[in-house]
């Protein structure tokens, strides 16, 4: 079987594994912990095509929903998709798709950073909405606990993803999928 046929099948599983592994690195700071989930999704999105990046994020959510401990801090279960942090999780496929759509092999660092930032914005938007409706926070508090503490860490994550995309593409340049 050619790599053109294999990659679209195995990459989503590989991407979901990367997201699950990095989600375990958390810094609990309040209602929503700082994790490397968005970094992992951004990295997967930077390297994979939109379809595979989106499928990786969806598979990650599915694995967590069926109870595997893949969410931040080793949690899992369908209840995570119904709680106050659900918006963040449910935004991940949109983040992956949008970011992947805008990052290409020859994209400059600023474009990669902007692509990450746009995807991350969707995560924050969904997160604020879920904190408001499911967590019963007023809009200002939802923004204060769900966005403000994460702005600097996420800008750093986005910069790292933007800087890593080019060397990763260079390392994979001989694989037809990544061209």
């Amino acid at each position: 079987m050619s790599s053109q046929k294999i990659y679209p099948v195995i990459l989503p599983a590989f991407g979901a594994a990367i997201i699950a592994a990095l989600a375990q690195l958390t810094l609990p700071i309040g209602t929503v912990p700082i994790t490397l989930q968005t970094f992992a999704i951004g990295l997967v999105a930077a390297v994979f095509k939109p379809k595979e990046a989106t499928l990786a994020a969806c598979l990650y959510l599915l694995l967590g929903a069926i109870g595997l401990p893949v969410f931040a801090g080793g949690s899992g279960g369908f209840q995570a998709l119904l709680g106050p942090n659900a918006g963040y999780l449910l935004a991940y496929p949109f983040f992956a798709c949008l970011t992947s759509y805008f990052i290409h092999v020859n994209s400059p660092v600023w474009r990669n950073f902007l692509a990450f930032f746009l995807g991350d914005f969707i995560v924050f938007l969904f997160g604020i909405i879920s904190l408001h409706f499911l967590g019963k926070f007023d809009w200002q508090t939802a923004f204060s606990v769900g966005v403000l503490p994460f702005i600097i860490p996420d800008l750093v994550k986005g910069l790292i993803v933007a800087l890593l995309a080019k060397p990763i593409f260079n390392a994979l340049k001989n694989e037809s999928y990544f061209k």
Side-chain angles (χ1 to χ4, degrees):
M1 188 178 261
S2 74
S3 62
Q4 281 296 86
K5 293 180 182 175
I6 292 174
Y7 281 131
V9 174
I10 63 168
L11 287 179
F14 184 66
I18 291 170
I19 299 165
L22 291 178
Q24 303 318 306
L25 303 174
T26 66
L27 178 63
I29 61 163
T31 305
V32 183
I34 293 177
T35 71
L36 291 184
Q37 285 168 303
T38 52
F39 172 78
I41 292 168
L43 193 58
V44 165
V47 178
F48 295 1
K49 294 178 182 173
K51 178 181 172 186
E52 288 77 23
T54 305
L55 287 173
C58 289
L59 180 58
Y60 169 72
L61 293 178
L62 178 64
L63 293 171
I66 63 171
L68 295 179
V70 297
F71 295 148
S75 65
F78 193 72
Q79 73 279 4
L81 300 176
L82 301 174
N85 297 337
Y88 296 96
L89 294 169
L90 295 174
Y92 289 162
F94 299 102
F95 176 13
C97 185
L98 181 69
T99 301
S100 179
Y101 179 78
F102 285 110
I103 294 180
H104 304 287
V105 173
N106 296 318
S107 295
V109 171
W110 67 266
R111 182 177 172 150
N112 296 345
F113 179 78
L114 183 59
F116 181 95
F117 180 77
L118 289 173
D120 205 32
F121 176 79
I122 291 174
V123 173
F124 284 139
L125 181 64
F126 279 44
I128 290 171
I129 292 169
S130 72
L131 286 172
H132 175 72
F133 289 108
L134 300 175
K136 307 295 185 209
F137 291 101
D138 61 70
W139 290 109
Q140 183 176 355
T141 304
F143 182 80
S144 295
V145 302
V147 175
L148 285 181
F150 306 99
I151 292 174
I152 300 299
D154 280 22
L155 289 174
V156 171
K157 292 177 204 175
L159 181 59
I160 294 169
V161 166
L163 292 170
L164 286 176
K166 191 69 165 177
I168 292 171
F169 278 129
N170 286 338
L172 299 170
K173 66 183 173 192
N174 293 329
E175 296 294 327
S176 60
Y177 172 87
F178 299 100
K179 291 181 181 181

